[in-house]
Amino acid sequence: MVPHSLFVCSQQKELTSKKRDEFEDILEERRLSSDLRYAMKCYTPVIYKGLSPCKPNAIKSVVLQSEQVQYVIKQLAKEMGESPDIIQEEAMEILDEMGHSMQLGTVRFFAFTLSKIFKQLFQRVCVNEEGMQRLQRAIQEHPVVLLPSHRSYVDFLMLSYLLYTYDLALPVIAAGIDFLGMKIVGELLRRAGAFFMRRSFGGNRLYWAVFAEYVKTMLRNGYAPIEFFLEGTRSRTAKTLTPKFGLLSIVMEPFFKREVFDTYLVPISISYERILEESLYAYELLGVPKPKESTSGLLKARRILSDNFGTIHIYVGQPVSLRTLASGRINLCPYNLVPRHLPQKPTEDIQEFVSDVAYKMELLQIENMVLSPWVLVAAVLLQNLPAIDFELLIEKTVWLKGLTQAFGGFIEWPDNLCAKKAVMSGLTLHSNIARLVDGHVVLNDKGIEDGAVGEIVFKRALVILMCSTYRNQLLNVFVRPSLVALALQMTRSFRKEEVYSSFSFLRDIFSDEFIFFPGISLKDFEEGCFLLTKCDAIQTTQQEIYPTDKGSVVVSFLSAMFRSFVEGYQLIFRYLSKETKEAFTEKQFIPGVRSFVFQLLEKGTTQCYEALSSDMQKNALAALVQLGAVKKKKMSNGFSYSVNQEAIHKILDVFDARTPVQKPMAARL
Amino acid sequence: MKWNGWGYNDSKFIFNKKGQAEFTGKRYRLGGMVLPTFKEWIEKTFGASLEHKTTSRASLNVNDVPPPIVNEEFLQDLRATKISYSQDAEDRVFRAHGHCLHEIFVLREGMFKRIPDIVVWPVCHEDVVKIVELACKHNLCIIPFGGGTSVSSALECPEEEKRTIVSLDTSQMNRILWIDEKNLTACVEAGIIGQDLEKQLSESGFCTGHEPDSMEFSSLGGWVATRASGMKKNIYGNIEDLVIHIKMVTPRGIVEKNCQVPRMSTGPDIHHFIMGSEGTLGVVTEVTIKIRPLPEYQKYGSVVFPNFERGVACLREVAKQRCAPASIRLVDNAQFQFGHALKPQVASIFTSFLDGLKKFYITKFKGFDPNILCVATLLFEGDREKVLQHEKQVYDIATKFGGLAAGEDNGQRGYMLTFVIAYLRDLGLDYYVIGESFETSVPWDRVLDLCRNVKERIVRECKEKGVQFAPFSTCRVTQTYDAGACVYFYFAFNYRGISDPIHVYEEIERAAREEILANGGSLSHHHGVGKLRKRWMKESISDVGLGMLRSVKEYVDPNNIFGNKNLL
């Protein structure tokens, strides 16, 4: 196997030498000068040096006439016995549905309206200007792919707005087809550079060919930066979702086939002090369906305009050269032996490489994600329910700040701001989640007292899920040391290899919950141990790991931070071990496990409200599938699952620390 | 011949007293001419300056030369054969190298670690048989030497070779043994040099038409040993198309076929074990080669294209219609400008006026950007009438791709430059500029991507390796085939400020080769592998393929008498 040396090295280096850019507020300028003039400003973006200028419609015909698409059309015509013209027409329709039609006029319209809206919603929009300058240079040099994190619909609007502000080429953005359901708005987005992809088109060869070629044509021509979300959808939990590989492998292909010299991948971290959709997400996670994207819905949502959503931080990361990532890693020979226009299934090497790159990019996003003081407050608060003394909260928040920074977290805490003010301002901004009552901070669950038991549980769950959305932003920074801490508790032994086995077990279980670079369990373990040692929480010898006296505070805080996941997963596994005798679908599983947990919460046998989150439930199921404890079968209408009871009991036993992890030991500990 | 550079002693580029570039000697059309814009081009392209000069040693320092290892018994046996030989230092050093940059650099400033211990000059096939027998008897290492124009480190002696190294110089086996006009073949001794072969054949009204760029100095045997390709292969074919019969002396004995036929189906063609064997199996002594009546008429031509993409598209179309002229080459813009800089001073005001007019027409009237346009050079050969007809066909195609005919003169100069360009490296070396050419073959659909990526890779690598001035990196498409093309790169840079320029150069060339392979190009189209490109052989022909070649070597030469360590 090819070692991941390149990836791993860079990760370790980043740990020690972290230097980040300064932020600049772009709204400041907007508050001082005319939005109209800004919208009408002379916009002459820098462009790719190899650009062959081309109108949006011309791209479509280039795609349609391309050898790639024509080949598939001919193939399909032959197989289905239809005339190529009919299929070609179908392809044209797909292109019309998909294609963007970027217009400067619409861009200016957005520039104007968004200025108004953003100023209303946000206090500040902070950007690292150096990142923008790096991006500007990158855009001229090679085709650029923008990979922002996805927490809100604001993400792509904001990013385009930002590029317009800095006079950079506006990106074309891969958007879900559901936007087209919105009257006017869908078309407006199209004219602002959005192109639309169907949610699933695995089986449709024509669609795949047209879509892939459309994206690649834009990339090869250097038409515009291409923007899409590795996470595939907005993360409802503010935790980074595991990456999707489809689009990434499409944009990487022109480089593999050497149609371009290089491609820059630019990780962008967008973090919100307060997420616009926070309450929607909480409802959605609890199974109250997400409202369909509709224009009237959008208009109804305008009341949020009167609300304050704090500050946005956008960190444009260092452009990563795909060529550098690939150097020495992949064998291109397979691409040399087949004409380049033929659809070709990527080799295993390539697939593995794409996956590694995807994870690397997400880890870079996480690394540069700004954490607000409120995130720390939320984490402390959730460990101290139902109430915590205000002064104690401040003290613990400050303590956590130090720990987070020691672990490499990127906290934006103005130098001159005293802790009390920082916490206070967080509470003010998030008054819907928590409030100060008689010197104590409590969750804001007004009106919870009256109402049936079920309703109380639901309301409480809502506010806890909302609160956890903010704590979640810390988790990927903490996950490695925390899993070591949890493993230490689980093992009840200090032997390094046993701790590592438990760590490995947890890492596997949570592989869909948190972002781990594939295949480097041992490295992750070492990193976790290193960070814990660094803050004097543990000591390690050749064979043993044990918490220090003063470290127990850290260790128990870290494990408490992930407690809800451990408990949540246990509940979900228990449900699967008890309640499901026959094969089931995801549509059956989610409500089933939800009502199972709901009952336990009503009875008061558990306090794990987060187990109600459909996100956690899906992740847990996916983890079991990966571990082989649940079998996933493709059916005509989706997937069906069946439980291997024996396997799941084994996992539960390990989880409940009844049996040690049975696993071959890592040889090199 | 120069001992430390390319070609004839009397032919070289110099800067005259006025500081203008000039090409000396009378052998080439450019000889004695002043090149007024060349100095400026060098300064602009390389950031080189005439004030910063390096000089080569004036002559070989005999004391540096490693002493010969020859055992007396062998010498006695050799004397008995009456074959002439030499142990003179200069003779041995001259045959210790080809014309790779690092080899020339060593000649100018250092010394090879290992050189041949003795040079022998057989005059016929039987002499070679005797030498090979003696080598087997005394366990010596033979390295065949033809014209010495190798650019693959093929002639370098393996440093670790402890046996006596015999350089077998074929230059005295240079007779045309017979000409068969009925079958249009000629049997020729393998040591004959290209231009002598053509000159002697032309006396009988024939030619082989095989014209590699090195044909002034390279030998027939060398062509066979490296799978050479000639400029006019479109009419005459490459060496593998031209060869009818080969006689080779190996440690196992003589290998040859029993007849001289155009084609035979007798298992894998044994000629293909010989062609490209790069001196690892034996010595080619006699070759029967196809000949053609001398063409009645020759005409040069050139076409300007608005950009390289259009030019490549045109060449592709020409290849598709199978109407390529004897030679068709497309140079990129950088090379066009380079050629322009080598334009001699024009004799009359009228010519310069005409040049100005042409330039105006192309750039202003036709809107070609002089920094983007590129040029194809053409050579037509055959019956006068057919040539004219052919010419029209090609120009018609060119027009479809936006090409404009740019005159015979430009075409002719383009081909002349091919021969003098090799002299330029010696001039560059005097001014801190080092450079080299390398080549590949590639399918049509990847030509553009490969050219762009390789040039870009070179620029990037130079930057990364601390080269202070942007390198000169340029390419041309030199051959067209049904399924692809041969692409030739020139690459040179100013190495001032770099302590180990040769190492840096080699790393960049290696990176460029990696890039070529990643872009679907071949390891070599006609230069061969030698020792320079050995490391990619496995990747190129697979493990099994390599094993096949090895097993042939093991059978033919079990004691590795032909121990130049090329290829495998």
Side-chain angles (χ1 to χ4, degrees):
Chain A
M1 218 184 74
V2 188
H4 306 284
S5 55
L6 181 73
F7 292 80
V8 175
C9 271
S10 61
Q11 268 172 15
Q12 281 195 335
K13 216 172 89 195
E14 280 149 19
L15 269 180
T16 47
S17 63
K18 214 165 273 179
K19 198 183 151 287
R20 291 176 177 117
D21 308 334
E22 299 287 314
F23 284 105
E24 230 22 78
D25 178 13
I26 60 163
L27 283 191
E28 204 175 291
E29 166 80 23
R30 286 295 84 249
R31 295 195 205 275
L32 296 176
S33 64
S34 153
D35 288 335
L36 192 61
R37 195 172 304 147
Y38 163 77
M40 299 315 290
K41 73 170 182 171
C42 170
Y43 170 68
T44 47
V46 295
I47 47 173
Y48 173 50
K49 64 175 182 208
L51 174 73
S52 30
C54 190
K55 290 253 179 323
N57 270 326
I59 289 196
K60 287 192 213 164
S61 58
V62 169
V63 172
L64 198 63
Q65 294 312 321
S66 69
E67 286 172 311
Q68 287 81 347
V69 169
Q70 286 298 322
Y71 177 83
V72 173
I73 287 177
K74 273 182 207 142
Q75 285 278 308
L76 289 174
K78 213 185 286 170
E79 282 168 32
M80 307 194 308
E82 264 197 86
S83 126
D85 294 347
I86 294 177
I87 297 173
Q88 170 127 345
E89 219 152 277
E90 216 177 296
M92 194 63 221
E93 277 162 27
I94 292 173
L95 268 172
D96 283 335
E97 172 193 273
M98 180 160 63
H100 74 86
S101 53
M102 204 193 288
Q103 288 177 340
L104 196 53
T106 314
V107 169
R108 293 192 191 281
F109 166 78
F110 269 107
F112 179 76
T113 5
L114 288 179
S115 292
K116 296 285 179 216
I117 294 174
F118 288 162
K119 280 191 284 187
Q120 196 66 228
L121 286 174
F122 305 111
Q123 285 169 323
R124 296 184 304 150
V125 173
C126 296
V127 180
N128 64 328
E129 286 210 324
E130 278 170 62
M132 295 306 288
Q133 282 154 13
R134 286 192 297 257
L135 181 59
Q136 177 175 9
R137 288 192 293 272
I139 284 176
Q140 293 169 67
E141 230 180 309
H142 300 298
V144 164
V145 179
L146 304 176
L147 300 170
S149 59
H150 203 10
R151 303 286 172 270
S152 165
Y153 283 143
V154 176
D155 291 328
F156 61 86
L157 295 174
M158 184 54 85
L159 206 50
S160 294
Y161 183 78
L162 189 64
L163 292 179
Y164 176 79
T165 306
Y166 280 86
D167 236 6
L168 296 183
L170 288 180
V172 289
I173 308 150
I177 199 95
D178 6 358
F179 278 107
L180 278 185
M182 301 167 79
K183 284 176 205 128
I184 309 170
V185 175
E187 280 313 306
L188 265 180
L189 288 177
R190 193 195 285 281
R191 288 181 193 184
F195 63 96
F196 300 92
M197 60 190 289
R198 296 182 190 162
R199 284 282 169 201
S200 62
F201 47 89
N204 188 336
R205 274 154 67 197
L206 184 65
Y207 191 87
W208 174 258
V210 172
F211 179 78
E213 192 50 30
Y214 184 67
V215 175
K216 284 189 279 184
T217 302
M218 291 192 292
L219 184 110
R220 280 190 295 250
N221 283 6
Y223 176 81
I226 290 172
E227 174 183 329
F228 66 90
F229 299 102
L230 275 173
E231 296 168 89
T233 180
R234 293 170 301 164
S235 165
R236 269 64 168 170
T237 58
K239 237 169 353 84
T240 303
L241 304 174
T242 49
K244 305 273 180 293
F245 306 124
L247 249 169
L248 186 64
S249 66
I250 290 177
V251 297
M252 284 162 80
E253 209 184 83
F255 170 71
F256 293 149
K257 293 187 171 172
R258 290 299 195 269
E259 293 162 338
V260 295
F261 183 77
D262 198 353
T263 302
Y264 276 131
L265 307 175
V266 186
I268 299 175
S269 320
I270 309 179
S271 54
Y272 297 85
E273 203 177 358
R274 187 176 165 207
I275 298 166
L276 212 58
E277 295 100 323
E278 57 177 7
S279 67
L280 274 181
Y281 288 163
Y283 275 105
E284 219 182 285
L285 290 173
L286 290 173
V288 179
K290 154 186 170 191
K292 241 189 148 178
E293 274 85 5
S294 74
T295 310
S296 65
L298 190 73
L299 290 174
K300 273 182 215 142
R302 74 184 183 277
R303 68 183 161 77
I304 59 165
L305 280 178
S306 57
D307 225 339
N308 177 6
F309 288 87
T311 300
I312 300 182
H313 282 95
I314 304 168
Y315 196 97
V316 179
Q318 183 83 39
V320 178
S321 148
L322 181 54
R323 175 176 273 270
T324 309
L325 290 179
S327 104
R329 175 102 200 247
I330 38 179
N331 176 11
L332 292 173
C333 185
Y335 289 104
N336 289 343
L337 293 177
V338 178
R340 292 186 294 180
H341 67 273
L342 298 198
Q344 198 181 350
K345 196 176 175 319
T347 59
E348 257 168 53
D349 273 3
I350 296 276
Q351 286 178 23
E352 193 188 290
F353 177 66
V354 171
S355 150
D356 285 357
V357 171
Y359 275 99
K360 178 167 172 88
M361 289 299 131
E362 286 201 345
L363 287 167
L364 286 172
Q365 284 175 0
I366 290 167
E367 186 186 306
N368 292 324
M369 190 74 90
V370 166
L371 305 167
S372 68
W374 165 252
V375 164
L376 308 173
V377 174
V380 175
L381 186 59
L382 279 174
Q383 287 194 29
N384 293 278
L385 291 179
I388 179 170
D389 178 71
F390 184 52
E391 296 300 329
L392 186 61
L393 175 65
I394 294 171
E395 193 185 307
K396 288 200 170 192
T397 304
V398 172
W399 173 81
L400 183 55
K401 176 190 168 203
L403 193 63
T404 310
Q405 281 168 334
F407 288 176
F410 187 6
I411 297 180
E412 189 66 3
W413 189 306
D415 290 335
N416 49 1
L417 194 62
C418 78
K420 189 172 176 181
K421 274 195 185 146
V423 174
M424 239 0 254
S425 102
L427 283 170
T428 319
L429 190 65
H430 299 276
S431 57
N432 57 331
I433 295 177
R435 60 198 170 117
L436 189 58
V437 183
D438 306 331
H440 281 75
V441 175
V442 294
L443 285 182
N444 187 353
D445 39 13
K446 256 184 219 159
I448 212 166
E449 296 80 14
D450 34 82
V453 193
E455 206 172 319
I456 292 175
V457 169
F458 185 80
K459 281 191 176 157
R460 204 165 171 77
L462 262 185
V463 75
I464 286 184
L465 283 185
M466 271 204 278
C467 193
S468 64
T469 305
Y470 294 95
R471 176 213 54 201
N472 283 351
Q473 299 180 24
L474 281 180
L475 296 182
N476 272 307
V477 175
F478 277 80
V479 69
R480 287 162 196 83
S482 291
L483 291 196
V484 174
L486 276 172
L488 269 171
Q489 293 188 339
M490 257 173 77
T491 327
R492 299 199 193 100
S493 143
F494 299 123
R495 286 181 53 80
K496 212 177 198 174
E497 39 199 66
E498 282 177 44
V499 179
Y500 173 64
S501 296
S502 298
F503 173 88
S504 235
F505 168 79
L506 290 169
R507 190 181 178 276
D508 288 345
I509 290 278
F510 291 134
S511 63
D512 279 79
E513 200 72 56
F514 309 108
I515 304 303
F516 298 106
F517 192 84
I520 55 160
S521 186
L522 187 59
K523 288 263 172 208
D524 280 343
F525 179 66
E526 279 166 357
E527 191 190 314
C529 292
F530 168 75
L531 291 174
L532 286 175
T533 318
K534 200 171 115 186
C535 60
D536 292 329
I538 58 164
Q539 279 185 325
T540 57
T541 64
Q542 204 65 27
Q543 275 92 33
E544 295 197 318
I545 299 178
Y546 44 91
T548 58
D549 293 339
K550 59 176 185 174
S552 61
V553 185
V554 176
V555 170
S556 62
F557 182 88
L558 291 184
S559 44
M561 196 177 209
F562 286 74
R563 180 67 60 210
S564 55
F565 290 93
V566 175
E567 284 179 17
Y569 271 55
Q570 281 170 327
L571 287 177
I572 296 162
F573 292 171
R574 202 152 292 141
Y575 162 78
L576 284 171
S577 73
K578 283 188 182 143
E579 309 286 322
T580 53
K581 300 288 173 243
E582 282 153 30
F584 57 93
T585 63
E586 197 184 272
K587 274 205 182 106
Q588 293 165 319
F589 165 69
I590 300 282
V593 67
R594 186 188 298 130
S595 66
F596 173 77
V597 175
F598 209 89
Q599 280 166 14
L600 293 180
L601 284 166
E602 277 179 334
K603 276 189 245 161
T605 22
T606 179
Q607 288 298 314
C608 185
Y609 285 86
E610 289 179 52
L612 286 174
S613 155
S614 58
D615 183 67
M616 185 185 287
Q617 294 155 1
K618 285 178 201 164
N619 289 340
L621 185 64
L624 289 180
V625 171
Q626 262 175 31
L627 293 173
V630 168
K631 265 219 172 71
K632 184 175 175 181
K633 258 203 316 210
K634 198 171 162 62
M635 308 291 277
S636 55
N637 52 346
F639 292 99
S640 118
Y641 299 85
S642 54
V643 176
N644 175 343
Q645 289 297 345
E646 197 188 337
I648 214 162
H649 276 110
K650 254 189 198 159
I651 291 176
L652 262 173
D653 283 350
V654 178
F655 231 152
D656 299 345
R658 277 197 291 267
T659 53
V661 185
Q662 280 165 2
K663 220 177 168 189
M665 295 303 147
R668 281 180 302 134
L669 265 175
Chain B
M1 301 279 280
K2 290 196 194 78
W3 70 277
N4 63 350
W6 180 263
Y8 302 107
N9 270 327
D10 59 3
S11 304
K12 59 176 175 253
F13 285 95
I14 55 156
F15 286 107
N16 63 21
K17 283 175 197 131
K18 283 193 242 158
Q20 285 175 316
E22 204 180 310
F23 191 68
T24 61
K26 294 205 176 82
R27 293 173 190 269
Y28 301 92
R29 209 170 72 126
L30 206 59
M33 291 204 193
V34 173
L35 316 164
T37 58
F38 189 56
K39 182 180 155 213
E40 195 198 327
W41 179 84
I42 289 197
E43 288 169 345
K44 206 181 80 195
T45 312
F46 295 106
S49 143
L50 295 194
E51 276 122 57
H52 300 282
K53 216 179 156 186
T54 67
T55 35
S56 161
R57 266 200 307 250
S59 64
L60 187 68
N61 186 353
V62 179
N63 296 330
D64 295 345
V65 177
I69 319 166
V70 182
N71 76 47
E72 199 46 44
E73 287 160 42
F74 165 63
L75 276 183
Q76 272 173 16
D77 284 351
L78 184 61
R79 280 186 211 113
T81 64
K82 304 264 190 297
I83 296 168
S84 65
Y85 69 91
S86 161
Q87 287 179 271
D88 177 70
E90 282 180 25
D91 287 335
R92 288 160 53 221
V93 170
F94 188 83
R95 286 158 188 81
H97 65 88
H99 280 270
C100 285
L101 175 68
H102 66 267
E103 294 169 317
I104 300 302
F105 219 78
V106 166
L107 285 174
R108 287 170 64 101
E109 302 188 355
M111 183 39 65
F112 300 104
K113 293 219 174 73
R114 188 77 172 90
I115 64 168
D117 299 301
I118 180 167
V119 183
V120 295
W121 283 276
V123 296
C124 60
H125 171 78
E126 285 69 30
D127 281 356
V128 174
V129 174
K130 284 180 206 157
I131 293 166
V132 173
E133 270 168 9
L134 284 185
C136 292
K137 177 176 163 200
H138 296 279
N139 189 25
L140 314 177
C141 168
I142 298 181
I143 299 184
F145 181 91
T149 57
S150 146
V151 281
S152 59
S153 304
L155 288 169
E156 268 179 277
C157 302
E159 269 173 43
E160 65 285 0
E161 180 61 69
K162 296 278 186 295
R163 301 173 293 181
T164 300
I165 298 181
V166 181
S167 177
L168 191 154
D169 186 320
T170 60
S171 62
Q172 304 311 305
M173 307 196 296
N174 56 5
R175 293 165 298 167
I176 295 178
L177 299 177
W178 45 255
I179 293 176
D180 176 349
E181 298 191 12
K182 288 199 190 73
N183 294 307
L184 286 176
T185 54
C187 184
V188 188
E189 286 184 315
I192 195 165
I193 300 301
Q195 59 173 339
D196 298 338
L197 175 62
E198 292 304 85
K199 206 182 293 159
Q200 289 174 38
L201 282 175
S202 72
E203 284 161 14
S204 323
F206 294 102
C207 68
T208 64
H210 186 70
E211 294 186 9
D213 291 356
S214 61
M215 71 172 292
E216 298 166 284
F217 309 106
S218 57
S219 68
L220 172 59
W223 300 339
V224 171
T226 55
R227 290 182 68 85
S229 167
M231 181 180 95
K232 299 194 288 193
K233 72 95 192 153
N234 292 334
I235 294 184
Y236 301 97
N238 287 319
I239 196 73
E240 68 273 20
D241 310 307
L242 286 165
V243 160
I244 293 292
H245 185 267
I246 303 172
K247 197 190 264 185
M248 177 164 82
V249 181
T250 78
R252 268 285 165 197
I254 294 159
V255 53
E256 62 179 326
K257 291 183 185 173
N258 72 330
C259 54
Q260 308 210 334
V261 294
R263 183 175 194 277
M264 55 205 273
S265 176
T266 46
D269 191 337
I270 54 160
H271 283 172
H272 285 283
F273 289 127
I274 299 168
M275 287 187 288
S277 60
E278 304 191 356
T280 57
L281 299 178
V283 188
V284 176
T285 53
E286 290 169 16
V287 178
T288 303
I289 189 165
K290 290 200 248 180
I291 55 172
R292 300 284 307 161
L294 278 171
E296 174 192 316
Y297 185 63
Q298 260 199 348
K299 192 172 183 191
Y300 290 96
S302 65
V303 181
V304 188
F305 291 98
N307 55 44
F308 192 63
E309 289 76 11
R310 303 283 279 165
V312 170
C314 174
L315 260 64
R316 205 281 159 266
E317 183 61 28
V318 167
K320 200 179 195 173
Q321 296 192 22
R322 292 199 171 165
C323 63
S327 168
I328 178 165
R329 286 177 174 177
L330 180 77
V331 303
D332 68 359
N333 183 267
Q335 215 167 119
F336 158 73
Q337 300 209 7
F338 168 53
H340 216 70
L342 283 173
K343 234 177 173 172
Q345 204 158 26
V346 283
S348 72
I349 298 176
F350 180 68
T351 346
S352 93
F353 171 74
L354 221 64
D355 276 355
L357 213 62
K358 263 190 246 164
K359 194 173 162 193
F360 177 82
Y361 176 71
I362 287 180
T363 59
K364 295 291 177 324
F365 191 72
K366 282 288 176 182
F368 285 25
D369 182 341
N371 293 312
I372 296 179
L373 63 80
C374 73
V375 178
T377 56
L378 311 166
L379 172 61
F380 298 91
E381 241 182 56
D383 297 348
R384 194 185 149 84
E385 204 151 298
K386 274 191 192 144
V387 162
L388 296 177
Q389 210 180 334
H390 192 177
E391 192 187 19
K392 184 173 182 309
Q393 188 187 6
V394 172
Y395 281 109
D396 283 349
I397 296 174
T399 312
K400 283 191 198 124
F401 293 88
L404 288 176
E408 282 185 66
D409 192 53
N410 280 320
Q412 189 168 10
R413 210 181 45 252
Y415 287 102
M416 182 262 311
L417 284 182
T418 308
F419 294 109
V420 293
I421 206 165
Y423 287 94
L424 260 179
R425 186 171 67 195
D426 297 329
L427 180 77
L429 278 168
D430 286 343
Y431 296 95
Y432 289 94
V433 174
I434 50 178
E436 182 94 274
S437 60
F438 50 91
E439 42 74 26
T440 186
S441 50
V442 59
W444 276 116
D445 71 313
R446 294 174 199 248
V447 169
L448 285 175
D449 288 334
L450 181 133
C451 290
R452 183 197 60 230
N453 290 343
V454 171
K455 285 193 274 185
E456 171 119 25
R457 178 76 180 263
I458 289 172
V459 171
R460 269 216 185 184
E461 292 286 332
C462 281
K463 210 189 262 173
E464 276 169 28
K465 303 268 178 331
V467 175
Q468 318 231 341
F469 306 91
F472 178 59
S473 111
T474 164
C475 69
R476 63 165 190 247
V477 179
T478 56
Q479 288 291 8
T480 63
Y481 292 87
D482 287 350
C486 166
V487 180
Y488 212 91
F489 291 90
Y490 288 112
F491 153 51
F493 63 87
N494 180 338
Y495 69 85
R496 268 171 54 212
I498 295 177
S499 56
D500 192 356
I502 294 302
H503 179 69
V504 167
Y505 170 81
E506 283 173 349
E507 281 193 348
I508 297 170
E509 186 185 324
R510 179 176 168 171
R513 182 59 61 182
E514 299 274 359
E515 193 61 36
I516 286 174
L517 296 174
N519 280 271
S522 64
L523 189 53
S524 171
H525 169 265
H526 59 273
H527 281 173
V529 176
K531 289 177 273 290
L532 192 61
R533 286 175 276 273
K534 251 166 92 161
R535 70 171 71 112
W536 293 289
M537 269 303 270
K538 192 169 120 178
E539 186 185 334
S540 290
I541 63 168
S542 83
D543 262 337
V544 178
L546 208 55
M548 288 161 80
L549 296 186
R550 279 210 184 99
S551 63
V552 170
K553 165 80 178 169
E554 269 156 34
Y555 172 77
V556 174
D557 183 18
N559 297 317
N560 196 28
I561 300 299
F562 289 89
N564 60 15
K565 293 248 170 111
N566 289 337
L567 205 58
L568 298 173

